[in-house]
Amino acid sequence: MKKFHFVMLLFFIVFLSAGITTFALAFGDEQAVTVGTERREFDKLYSAFDTLKESYFKEVDQDTLINGAINGMIDSLEDPYSDYMNQEEASSFHESISSSFEGIGAEIQEQDGYIIIVSPLKGSPAEKAGLKPNDKVLYVDGKSIQGMSSTEAVMLIRGEKGTEVKLVIQRPGITEPLDITIVRDTIPIETVYGEMLEDGIAKVQITAFSENTSKELITVLNDLQKQGMKGLVLDLRQNPGGLLDQAINISSLFVPKGEVLFKVQDREGNTQVMASKNEKNPDIPLVVVIDKGSASASEILAAAVSESADVPLVGENSFGKGTVQRAQDFSDGSNMKYTTDKWLTPNDNWIHEKGIKPDHEVSLPDYASLPFINPDEELKLSTASTQVKAAQQMLKALGYEVGREDGFFDENMEKVVIEFQKAEKLEPTGVLTGQSTLKLMEKLREKIQQNDTQIQKAVEILKEQVK
């Protein structure tokens, strides 16, 4: 297995506040667009505009018509990664470049007319509330968002710190929709977390690529080297990527100089090869961990180290986003993003909608996929629901003898809940609600972290390298 090298690098990412909607790559500067008025192909458009402006039964706002026309053109592309943003939305887009924002902390994307959760940020309200990749958001505060763009959905989901947003989601494998109430918070874009594990093995988790990621990453890596790091697990799970015009620099951190990082291909089939610029840095064995929430720039990085540096990948198949977007401003302050190219791995693979298959496929325990339980609901004797079933499975995973797992809250379940409440120094009511529910989910998260089979496999591989 080849090694990776540390270099200083700079990132550029754009987050949309509430769901941190992200794009794979951006090349070049944003530019204002001036549309000519003498082009014959626009005659039909001008005619429709004039007719509605003059003859519609109510007075219409011309900006609304123009915005609608642009939005309609982009919607006709049927591309979830292309979107038009009016002035308000574009303003939020630019504000979100800062090191923090107020929202729930989850990346979303539009897919087949629905808003899908790509990945919640680590430690965010979205993660704590139990949102998971591939959750389909049906309603926001009682309003259906089917057919909305990701930008429109973001405007509903985001909001001031301390306010609540109520989501109704459909989770794959679960028949009944789930009601989830999330308290918005300030989401600091702290994206790099490092720790020493055992036998000189360090773990660094990159949760997203924001404007400060490079500084955070280098600081963490330098600190870990001082602590005696001999091998590194790079955790890209649940990392939605980002808008990167410095993709070469970040991938060069791990790939030897001159090796191919990725390729960009336009609609004519012209291909541009991006090669590593690595320069004289220390060698340390590396293993990368990915999952279905690893998307966009995370996949560029994973594919680059895998195919050009023989770095093992561990975990689950990644998300599958293989297109390149450009963000472009209009002179009135509105904005659009649109797909310009597709990117290919060093071996010419297009991973779009397929993802990257790891060398070592390792799943987390089944209890890691249990659904969120709404703490506002009361689960008590004689109630029956999917929420009760989830609670039974959580308690079983924590070692309690629940007996049945069919979603019916019987007398034994009541006794088990009381036992759990006593163990956690909570009022022993036998009713699972509020703090009891939150504590149950907290204990389950701790168990998942302690039994992280994917990280354990990565460490096992590295131990063979650092003997």
Side-chain angles (χ1 to χ4, degrees):
M1 181 180 74
K2 294 182 181 179
K3 319 293 183 176
F4 73 85
H5 311 273
F6 294 158
V7 295
M8 288 298 294
L9 63 157
L10 293 174
F11 297 89
F12 178 69
I13 180 175
V14 178
F15 287 103
L16 279 181
S17 300
I20 56 171
T21 300
T22 56
F23 327 131
L25 297 166
F27 299 94
D29 297 328
E30 296 181 357
Q31 300 174 349
V33 175
T34 302
V35 178
T37 58
E38 301 299 325
R39 295 171 60 177
R40 293 289 300 276
E41 61 264 35
F42 288 103
D43 287 351
K44 184 177 179 180
L45 180 63
Y46 294 144
S47 178
F49 175 82
D50 291 339
T51 299
L52 292 173
K53 193 83 165 64
E54 296 172 6
S55 305
Y56 190 65
F57 84 104
K58 293 191 298 185
E59 185 174 351
V60 294
D61 178 70
Q62 71 174 22
D63 289 339
T64 300
L65 292 179
I66 293 170
N67 290 342
I70 299 172
N71 201 46
M73 281 193 288
I74 295 178
D75 284 348
S76 72
L77 300 173
E78 297 184 348
D79 177 7
Y81 302 108
S82 295
D83 196 15
Y84 171 71
M85 290 166 272
N86 60 31
Q87 288 93 331
E88 181 184 4
E89 293 164 339
S91 177
S92 296
F93 175 89
H94 290 298
E95 287 174 2
S96 63
I97 299 174
S98 64
S99 59
S100 67
F101 64 90
E102 293 184 353
I104 67 170
E107 187 204 4
I108 63 174
Q109 79 159 49
E110 187 275 331
Q111 189 178 94
D112 299 326
Y114 289 95
I115 297 300
I116 307 296
I117 300 294
V118 173
S119 179
L121 281 180
K122 180 178 180 180
S124 67
E127 183 191 53
K128 293 175 181 176
L131 286 185
K132 297 182 181 296
N134 296 317
D135 282 346
K136 182 185 296 182
V137 184
L138 304 178
Y139 294 88
V140 177
D141 288 334
K143 181 176 182 178
S144 172
I145 61 171
Q146 184 175 357
M148 285 189 181
S149 69
S150 56
T151 303
E152 291 172 323
V154 161
M155 296 301 292
L156 290 178
I157 296 172
R158 66 175 300 200
E160 293 183 4
K161 175 182 178 179
T163 60
E164 290 186 348
V165 59
K166 296 181 179 179
L167 307 182
V168 177
I169 68 166
Q170 186 69 61
R171 178 161 295 164
I174 297 178
T175 304
E176 297 180 17
L178 303 173
D179 296 325
I180 299 182
T181 299
I182 306 176
V183 178
R184 300 178 178 102
D185 201 351
T186 298
I187 312 298
I189 312 301
E190 183 179 349
T191 57
V192 181
Y193 302 83
E195 61 178 310
M196 293 298 297
L197 299 178
E198 54 186 275
D199 300 328
I201 305 299
K203 178 172 81 77
V204 170
Q205 181 181 19
I206 303 177
T207 60
F209 297 104
S210 76
E211 61 181 1
N212 292 324
T213 300
S214 60
K215 295 178 182 178
E216 293 178 54
L217 181 58
I218 297 303
T219 298
V220 169
L221 291 176
N222 286 337
D223 181 61
L224 291 172
Q225 282 188 302
K226 292 176 182 177
Q227 295 181 50
M229 176 174 60
K230 299 177 181 178
L232 175 65
V233 177
L234 185 63
D235 187 357
L236 299 180
R237 293 176 299 176
Q238 306 298 300
N239 183 326
L243 181 80
L244 296 163
D245 59 3
Q246 308 251 350
I248 295 174
N249 288 342
I250 180 152
S251 297
S252 291
L253 182 65
F254 308 101
V255 176
K257 184 176 182 179
E259 296 290 338
V260 177
L261 300 176
F262 59 95
K263 304 174 184 179
V264 177
Q265 188 175 86
D266 65 20
R267 65 183 182 184
E268 305 299 332
N270 300 313
T271 301
Q272 182 180 5
V273 176
M274 307 296 177
S276 173
K277 298 180 178 180
N278 196 319
E279 294 284 357
K280 299 179 182 179
N281 292 284
D283 297 340
I284 295 179
L286 172 70
V287 174
V288 173
V289 185
I290 58 175
D291 68 2
K292 56 189 174 183
S294 304
S296 188
S298 297
E299 294 174 295
I300 290 175
L301 176 55
V305 298
S306 174
E307 296 183 7
S308 291
D310 296 331
V311 170
L313 302 181
V314 173
E316 300 171 314
N317 210 73
S318 65
F319 181 78
K321 181 178 184 299
T323 55
V324 176
Q325 280 71 42
R326 184 188 297 274
Q328 188 161 287
D329 284 336
F330 290 93
S331 58
D332 67 350
S334 59
N335 176 284
M336 72 174 179
K337 57 184 172 70
Y338 57 99
T339 300
T340 58
D341 306 277
K342 59 183 180 182
W343 68 267
L344 309 175
T345 72
N347 293 341
D348 293 318
N349 296 312
W350 194 36
I351 58 92
H352 197 62
E353 298 182 350
K354 295 183 293 185
I356 299 171
K357 183 178 180 180
D359 302 295
H360 305 272
E361 293 188 72
V362 181
S363 298
L364 292 174
D366 290 342
Y367 54 76
S369 299
L370 290 176
F372 169 81
I373 303 174
N374 188 351
D376 294 333
E377 288 191 21
E378 286 192 352
L379 307 183
K380 55 186 178 182
L381 190 63
S382 298
T383 58
S385 68
T386 55
Q387 298 266 288
V388 173
K389 182 176 181 178
Q392 290 169 332
Q393 293 172 324
M394 288 182 187
L395 287 164
K396 180 181 178 181
L398 294 173
Y400 292 91
E401 298 292 335
V402 295
R404 65 198 304 165
E405 298 175 47
D406 58 1
F408 181 75
F409 200 118
D410 62 5
E411 291 181 354
N412 183 64
M413 178 66 171
E414 185 179 53
K415 293 178 182 178
V416 169
V417 170
I418 290 173
E419 182 183 352
F420 171 77
Q421 290 169 328
K422 288 181 177 178
E424 300 303 324
K425 297 180 173 54
L426 299 167
E427 184 181 359
T429 62
V431 177
L432 197 59
T433 188
Q435 288 301 314
S436 292
T437 300
L438 293 172
K439 177 61 71 172
L440 176 59
M441 291 189 289
E442 177 187 328
K443 299 300 291 186
L444 185 69
R445 281 196 296 271
E446 291 175 2
K447 183 175 178 66
I448 293 170
Q449 292 171 355
Q450 294 165 2
N451 294 276
D452 193 330
T453 50
Q454 294 167 341
I455 296 299
Q456 289 169 0
K457 180 63 177 179
V459 170
E460 176 188 325
I461 294 170
L462 279 175
K463 283 184 176 179
E464 293 298 318
Q465 302 294 322
V466 299
K467 281 183 177 180

